[in-house]
């Protein structure tokens, strides 16, 4: 009997390899993770954080909790606007202040989510639940930030620009005297501003004083803040007012815009080497009213 070549021996059939079961597709409603909630609040503000919490609560079937989350976001936004109005612009415009507030909203949002939604999230994601859409989160961030900026601008513009005692028809407009400023100070400032060309249409201005300094605020267009010739004239005006008020004078431009109200100290913008001359030292104190304002058309520059 001929021997069979081992190479020609048919191989024994092998059992098919068992394929790994495919991971189940995520199902159920989309829910933001706690990390996503924190980022939404950090980037979009308290209103966005509140709506993101409400989004999750509704997906879990808790309508009342969603209402509380929205109400909390609205209250936090109102408190934020009140805080902004009370603090000086040097603080509210600083990056550290904004970062601190953003971090605060994120911490509060995460704490609320941990307290009210973490167990539901664990069950949801353990069962293959879907995570919240990145596009939905980005939309909440943009919407919350836009609403916050718009509300801030509306509240800021609704507030009076100048405070103090108004003195009308002073140099052609109204000058508000605040702090230690007197009516005589307001009238002298009004006359000087009229000669400066500030009161063609009855605008308003403000003079405020302390024991050591004075501050004159006006409403001017932002473009003048980069006009070298105009800023040189501002320094002449400050020097003239300094002699009259017997105190260093800062000239301030108040600008209303979509992002709110800001103030720029014009006497600090121009480098010293570009000014006509440094402001003269304050005159020694003397009794009696301030010196009379110069006649109309007379130069504001101090005599050499």
């Amino acid at each position: 009997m001929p021997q069979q070549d081992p190479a020609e021996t048919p191989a024994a059939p092998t059992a098919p390899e068992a394929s790994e079961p495919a991971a189940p597709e995520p199902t159920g409603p989309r829910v933001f993770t706690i990390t996503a909630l924190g980022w939404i609040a950090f980037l979009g503000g308290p209103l966005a954080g509140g709506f993101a919490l409400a989004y999750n609560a509704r997906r879990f079937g808790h309508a009342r909790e969603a209402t509380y989350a929205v109400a909390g976001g609205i209250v936090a936004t109102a408190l934020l606007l009140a805080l902004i109005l009370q603090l000086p612009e040097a603080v509210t415009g600083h990056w550290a202040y904004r970062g601190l507030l953003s971090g605060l909203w994120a911490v509060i949002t995460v704490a609320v989510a941990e307290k009210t939604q973490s167990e539901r999230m664990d069950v949801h994601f353990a069962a293959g639940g879907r995570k919240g859409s990145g596009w939905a989160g980005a939309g909440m961030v943009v919407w919350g930030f836009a609403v916050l900026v718009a509300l801030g601008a509306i509240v800021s513009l609704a507030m009076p620009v100048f405070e103090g005692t108004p003195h009308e028809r002073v140099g052609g407009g109204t000058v508000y005297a605040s702090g230690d400023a007197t009516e005589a100070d307001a009238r002298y400032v009004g006359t000087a501003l009229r000669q400066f060309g500030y009161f063609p249409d009855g605008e308003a201005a403000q003079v405020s004083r302390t024991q050591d300094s004075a501050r004159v605020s006006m409403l001017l267009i932002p473009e003048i803040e980069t006009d070298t010739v105009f800023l040189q004239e501002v320094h002449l005006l400050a020097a003239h007012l300094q002699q009259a008020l017997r105190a260093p004078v800062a000239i301030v431009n108040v600008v209303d815009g979509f992002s709110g109200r800001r103030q720029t100290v014009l006497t600090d913008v121009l480098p010293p080497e570009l000014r006509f001359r440094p402001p003269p030292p304050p005159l020694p104190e003397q009794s009696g009213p301030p010196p009379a304002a110069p006649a109309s058309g007379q130069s504001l520059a101090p005599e050499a």
Side-chain angles (χ1 to χ4, degrees):
M1 181 176 181
Q3 293 183 351
Q4 186 176 5
D5 188 354
E8 298 179 358
T9 303
T14 58
E17 295 182 0
S19 59
E20 296 183 0
E25 290 291 332
T27 58
R30 291 185 177 273
V31 174
F32 290 120
T33 64
I34 290 181
T35 301
L37 291 173
W39 277 111
I40 291 173
F42 182 85
L43 298 174
L47 199 58
F51 271 83
L53 287 171
Y55 177 94
N56 273 10
R58 287 192 176 277
R59 296 304 183 275
F60 289 133
H62 293 262
R64 178 175 295 182
E65 181 182 313
T67 302
Y68 290 156
V70 173
I74 294 174
V75 171
T77 301
L79 293 176
L80 173 61
L81 294 177
L83 180 64
I84 291 175
L85 293 176
Q86 294 298 322
L87 294 177
E89 183 186 4
V91 175
T92 58
H94 198 277
W95 64 268
Y97 167 84
R98 298 179 180 180
L100 179 63
L101 283 183
S102 297
L104 177 63
W105 308 135
V107 169
I108 293 176
T109 302
V110 168
V112 172
E114 289 277 6
K115 180 71 174 178
T116 61
Q117 300 181 0
S118 60
E119 294 183 0
R120 303 173 205 156
M121 289 182 185
D122 293 340
V123 174
H124 174 78
F125 294 126
R130 296 186 295 174
K131 295 182 179 180
S133 167
W135 287 108
M140 290 184 184
V141 168
V142 173
W143 176 83
F145 185 77
V147 171
L148 185 61
V149 171
L151 289 177
I154 292 173
V155 172
S156 177
L157 296 177
M159 299 293 291
V161 179
F162 300 128
E163 299 178 351
T165 304
H167 298 283
E168 299 180 354
R169 297 180 181 178
V170 178
T174 301
V175 178
Y176 292 80
S178 63
D180 296 334
T182 64
E183 180 179 356
D185 295 333
R187 293 191 176 280
Y188 193 91
V189 168
T191 301
L193 292 181
R194 177 175 57 81
Q195 296 173 3
F196 185 63
Y198 177 66
F199 281 141
D201 299 316
E203 288 94 339
Q206 179 183 13
V207 54
S208 58
R209 292 197 64 168
T210 63
Q211 293 181 350
D212 303 323
S213 63
R215 186 181 180 97
V216 176
S217 302
M218 299 182 286
L219 291 169
L220 300 169
I221 59 176
E223 288 74 15
I224 58 92
E225 297 177 3
T226 57
D227 187 331
T228 302
V229 175
F230 179 84
L231 292 176
Q232 290 174 337
E233 295 178 357
V234 165
H235 279 276
L236 286 177
L237 173 65
H240 173 72
L241 291 175
Q242 179 169 311
Q243 287 185 328
L245 302 179
R246 305 188 184 100
V249 176
I251 307 295
V252 180
N253 183 30
V254 182
V255 177
D256 284 329
F258 179 76
S259 59
R261 182 172 295 150
R262 65 174 178 83
Q263 299 183 7
T264 301
V265 182
L266 298 179
T267 42
D268 291 344
V269 173
L270 198 63
E273 61 271 13
L274 296 181
R275 304 172 187 174
F276 281 137
R277 69 192 69 180
L283 298 177
E285 294 187 2
Q286 59 186 28
S287 59
S296 177
Q298 184 176 345
S299 173
L300 294 179
E303 296 181 0

